[in-house]
Amino acid sequence: MTRKEQYAQLIPQIAGLIKGETNLVGILANVSAALHEAFPERFFWTGFYLHEEGKTLSLGPFQGSVACYSIPFGKGVCGKAWEEGRTLIVPDVEEFPGHIACSSLSRSEIVVPMYDSSHTFRGVLDIDSTRLDDFNNDDKDGLERVIALLMEETSNLFQQK
């Protein structure tokens, strides 16, 4: 099965999983679990860093090994995706200036920023792989669709925080 086909199957499953739910932490935990389990051979670390205030991202729900608690604006792949306001694919994290090594096993990474319906930044989806150059445009498109769905369903929950 191609990556496109995997995302095409996964997105309706995630939609059903989160529809009508109101527990934001639970929703993010289940989305990270669903993604992590859908690509077990590829996704080493799958989770969220959330923007609560100021110029820092805070660790949110995730699947994988222990992680960094906070990431400053513009630092590492997550902070840079926030600064640039776009999805970043990093084929080799060792080559990324200022990479924050939460795990020495991480070799490549994709980070998708999350914006609510009023275009307020809410956080990032961060996925690491132990393989070099493991993410491509099919992953970018699929994960951006997952985040669009997630933000459509949870925008009001972020606003309640």
Side-chain angles (χ1 to χ4, degrees):
M1 184 179 319
T2 68
R3 291 180 192 193
K4 281 184 180 184
E5 291 168 337
Q6 285 179 291
Y7 285 110
Q9 281 187 351
L10 180 62
I11 289 168
Q13 293 170 5
I14 289 175
L17 187 65
I18 67 177
K19 184 83 174 154
E21 293 297 327
T22 59
N23 174 350
L24 183 59
V25 171
I27 291 167
L28 296 175
N30 275 335
V31 169
S32 64
L35 286 166
H36 200 72
E37 289 178 7
F39 300 95
E41 72 288 350
R42 297 183 50 232
F43 291 7
F44 164 70
W45 195 95
T46 308
F48 295 93
Y49 279 93
L50 304 176
H51 180 240
E52 293 172 354
E53 60 184 337
K55 294 286 188 177
T56 303
L57 294 171
S58 298
L59 180 63
F62 70 93
Q63 299 284 310
S65 59
V66 297
C68 301
Y69 283 105
S70 61
I71 298 175
F73 178 79
K75 303 297 182 191
V77 182
C78 292
K80 192 56 115 173
W82 176 16
E83 180 180 55
E84 294 184 9
R86 66 182 180 94
T87 299
L88 293 182
I89 296 174
V90 178
D92 182 350
V93 296
E94 300 292 327
E95 301 287 321
F96 189 85
H99 176 251
I100 299 170
C102 295
S103 171
S104 61
L105 297 175
S106 178
R107 291 287 170 251
S108 60
E109 188 169 356
I110 186 169
V111 176
V112 182
M114 301 169 15
Y115 292 91
D116 67 18
S117 58
S118 64
H119 206 68
T120 300
F121 177 75
R122 298 300 183 176
V124 298
L125 169 64
D126 179 20
I127 301 176
D128 293 11
S129 175
T130 56
R131 302 175 187 175
L132 287 170
D133 200 17
D134 202 20
F135 301 104
N136 63 27
N137 281 328
D138 291 340
D139 294 300
K140 178 182 181 291
D141 294 343
L143 294 170
E144 286 177 349
R145 288 173 49 212
V146 168
I147 292 305
L149 169 67
L150 176 67
M151 296 313 296
E152 181 180 312
E153 290 293 326
T154 62
S155 201
N156 64 323
L157 300 177
F158 277 100
Q159 293 169 2
Q160 293 172 5
K161 289 187 78 181

